[in-house]
């Protein structure tokens, strides 16, 4: 018995994924050293242990003074450096303290004038002609960045360098993160041989288990790579049952119309429900998403580029949701087409392309390819340019979305 046909638009499929990803139960947690938190998802919020900054902080090397006095000559009472405190009396009228970037502003001062904006005058200093000082200038007040007890990082955030630094600034030597989900990778197909084996002329090396394992790891999960399943009901069912012991299952191949495309049939026999059995995209049209024995699974089309595109669009958001991450959307950017593009309408296209990234006016150029089996061309690409389903011809200079790999 085959699964009911349910073909969605890309937007509908993405919404379905988003809804299921958001509803995942929270994984177990563990504590890890701060540097080991790179790429992990925070399970408990990081809270400011004191005001940030903890004192009124000078943002410039210069002189702390009262703005209302800065029109005249100022007596320099001493120096305060980062790591020091001005313990002498609060600043009075006409007084200044030499101050370094990062030092606490002495009591009584309400601005810092930059050293390059003053001139010496007698025993003191004065502002260069035409310069003004404003109250609060070059000072970040205590607690302006965060108040003591405020949440700096919420649970569900993925930790990269910035979040690690923010946790370090709050005194966290360790953080609580979610355990990594275990994601089964199951390639199917009688034509497949292992990478190290010599293929016969009609055989194909199994590359999908490698692309999937690498992308699963990059998404912050643990890949459990199972032996290739053969296109035979009994052994396929055994392999799928084993895969369903993991938190999430990624299968590749066997989801199209061929006589030996048995993945959906076997899943149906296991009582699976299907959320979609196709998406109006290319590559990746036959992509399948469902749930069996309480576990979500993807049947990703076997063509190597289709496998990767559908992973990025659907499987990765689901992995991120399963990992406890609150933001799960695929990463899209915008760029200008370097050359015109012509395609057939009806499917949203994700075409291998090179993004020439620039501070302004990033450009994207398609890579010539032979379709969704062309791994060699795709290996020269660094993104996929997106062509909306209703567009047949796009002109050079048009802005398009690109899916970042
Ligand atoms: N009559 C139709 N034929 C096809 C349709 C269709 O709608 N009607 N859809 C096409 C599309 S689109 C795709 S994509 C493929 C998807 O096919 P399957 O998911 O069933 O995948 P297979 O047939 O098993 O393999 C397709 C292709 O990919 C190679 N492959 C498979 N697994 C691997 C792997 N692990 N590593 C490397 N390469 C792999 C396989 O050898 C085939 O060349 O169906 C179209 N056909
Ligand atoms: O849509 Mo299939 O994924 O082209 O080759």
């Amino acid at each position: 018995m085959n699964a009911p046909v349910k073909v969605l638009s890309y937007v509908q499929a993405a919404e379905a994924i988003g809804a299921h990803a958001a509803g995942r139960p929270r994984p177990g947690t563990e504590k890890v050293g701060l540097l080991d938190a790179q790429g992990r998802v925070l399970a408990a919020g990081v809270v400011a242990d004191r005001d940030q900054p903890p004192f009124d902080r000078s943002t410039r090397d210069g002189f702390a003074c009262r703005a209302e006095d800065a029109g005249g000559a100022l007596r320099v009472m001493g120096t305060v450096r980062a790591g020091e405190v001005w313990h002498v009396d609060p600043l009075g009228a006409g007084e200044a303290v030499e101050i370094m970037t990062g030092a606490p502003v002495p009591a009584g001062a309400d601005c810092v004038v930059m050293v390059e904006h003053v001139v010496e005058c007698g025993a003191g200093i004065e502002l260069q002609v035409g310069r003004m000082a404003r109250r609060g200038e070059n000072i970040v007040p205590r607690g302006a960045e965060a108040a003591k007890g405020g949440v700096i990082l919420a649970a569900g955030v993925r930790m990269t360098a910035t979040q690690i630094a923010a946790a370090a600034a709050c005194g966290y030597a360790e953080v609580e993160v979610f355990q990594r989900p275990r994601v089964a990778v199951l390639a199917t197909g009688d034509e497949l041989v292992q990478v190290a084996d010599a293929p016969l002329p009609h055989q194909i090396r199994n590359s999908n288990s490698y692309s999937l394992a690498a992308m699963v790891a990059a998404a912050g999960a643990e890949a459990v790579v199972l032996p290739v399943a053969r296109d035979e009901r009994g052994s396929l069912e055994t392999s799928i049952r084993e895969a369903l012991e993991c938190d999430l299952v990624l299968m590749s191949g066997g989801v199209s119309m061929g006589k030996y495309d048995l993945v959906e049939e076997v899943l149906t026999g296991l009582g699976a429900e299907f959320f979609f059995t196709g998406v109006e995209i290319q590559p990746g049209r036959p992509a399948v998403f469902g749930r069996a024995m309480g576990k979500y699974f993807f049947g990703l089309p076997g063509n190597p580029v289709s496998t990767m595109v559908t992973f990025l669009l659907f499987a990765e958001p689901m992995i991120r949701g399963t990992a406890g991450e609150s933001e799960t959307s695929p990463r899209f950017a915008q760029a200008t087409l370097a050359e015109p593009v012509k395609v057939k309408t009806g499917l949203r296209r994700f075409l291998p392309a090179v993004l020439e990234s620039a501070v302004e006016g990033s450009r994207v150029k398609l890579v010539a390819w032979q379709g969704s089996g062309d791994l060699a061309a795709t290996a020269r690409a660094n993104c996929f340019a997106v062509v909306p389903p209703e567009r047949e011809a796009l002109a050079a200079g048009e802005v398009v979305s690109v899916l970042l790999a």
Side-chain angles (χ1 to χ4, degrees):
M1 194 180 52
N2 272 327
V5 176
K6 200 168 182 186
V7 179
L8 303 183
S9 69
Y10 167 70
V11 172
Q12 290 169 327
E15 277 169 10
I17 294 287
H20 286 283
R24 300 292 282 149
R26 295 195 143 206
T29 68
E30 59 182 320
K31 281 213 159 177
V32 294
L34 191 52
L35 270 182
D36 294 326
Q38 167 81 11
R40 303 295 298 270
V41 180
L42 207 56
V46 163
V47 171
D49 64 331
R50 57 185 186 153
D51 288 341
Q52 292 185 12
F55 46 79
D56 296 342
R57 182 181 65 209
S58 173
T59 64
R60 292 288 182 269
D61 300 317
F63 294 88
C65 61
R66 301 174 354 165
E68 61 184 300
D69 301 342
L74 298 167
R75 263 180 320 205
V76 180
M77 312 303 290
T79 302
V80 57
R81 308 162 40 165
E84 289 181 351
V85 179
W86 180 251
H87 281 306
V88 192
D89 293 339
L91 254 70
E95 293 179 345
V97 169
E98 190 182 20
I99 192 165
M100 305 301 147
T101 302
V105 175
D110 61 13
C111 72
V112 170
V113 294
M114 287 165 65
V115 63
E116 50 274 58
H117 292 176
V118 302
V119 290
E120 286 185 14
C121 94
I125 53 146
E126 65 183 8
L127 271 178
Q128 289 169 344
V129 177
R131 297 265 177 209
M132 309 261 288
R134 278 182 296 108
R135 284 189 73 180
E137 191 170 21
N138 299 324
I139 297 174
V140 179
R142 173 179 177 159
E145 295 164 352
K148 178 178 175 171
V151 176
I152 302 287
L153 301 172
V157 161
R158 189 171 290 274
M159 300 289 282
T160 61
T162 316
Q163 290 73 33
I164 288 174
C170 293
Y172 286 72
E174 291 185 323
V175 285
E176 199 167 336
V177 294
F178 289 124
Q179 283 164 357
R180 285 194 183 94
R182 296 176 78 241
V183 178
V185 172
L186 177 61
T188 73
D190 285 344
E191 76 279 29
L192 302 178
V193 298
Q194 307 224 44
V195 172
D197 291 348
L200 295 170
H202 55 281
Q203 292 179 319
I204 297 294
R205 290 199 178 90
N206 169 21
S207 60
N208 287 348
S209 290
Y210 288 84
S211 59
L212 288 174
M215 291 190 293
V216 165
E222 184 193 336
V224 178
V225 180
L226 299 174
V228 171
R230 297 299 156 195
D231 296 326
E232 186 272 315
R233 285 176 186 79
S235 72
L236 197 51
E237 182 180 326
T238 307
S239 300
I240 291 178
R241 279 184 185 277
E242 190 183 342
L244 287 167
E245 286 169 21
C246 287
D247 299 307
L248 187 69
V249 175
L250 307 182
M251 289 166 277
S252 86
V255 293
S256 188
M257 307 298 287
K259 253 180 156 170
Y260 305 100
D261 291 336
L262 303 171
V263 166
E264 285 166 78
E265 184 185 320
V266 169
L267 284 162
T268 305
L270 292 173
E273 52 181 324
F274 292 86
F275 306 117
F276 56 74
T277 61
V279 187
E280 289 161 352
I281 57 172
Q282 202 277 325
R285 194 181 179 284
V288 173
F289 171 48
R291 186 164 46 197
M293 297 165 72
K295 304 289 176 63
Y296 286 99
F297 63 80
F298 288 91
L300 305 178
N303 272 321
V305 186
S306 312
T307 308
M308 285 190 278
V309 167
T310 49
F311 177 92
L312 292 170
L313 293 177
F314 307 125
E316 184 177 327
M318 206 54 202
I319 291 174
R320 290 166 65 189
T322 306
E325 195 174 343
S326 14
E327 171 54 49
T328 62
S329 310
R331 278 170 279 264
F332 291 106
Q334 308 282 304
T336 301
L337 272 178
E339 291 168 358
V341 174
K342 262 194 145 168
V343 290
K344 284 195 193 133
T345 56
L347 300 174
R348 191 178 294 269
R349 312 268 163 178
F350 294 86
L351 304 173
V354 174
L355 176 67
E356 295 165 3
S357 196
V359 64
E360 282 176 19
S362 292
R363 285 169 15 120
V364 63
K365 198 172 183 177
L366 299 194
V367 170
W369 71 326
Q370 299 298 320
S372 55
D374 193 345
L375 204 44
T378 309
R380 293 192 291 274
N382 61 10
C383 69
F384 296 92
V386 187
V387 182
E390 69 284 0
R391 298 296 304 276
E392 194 170 19
L394 284 77
E398 278 199 54
V399 173
V400 293
S401 283
V402 296
L403 170 65
L404 301 174

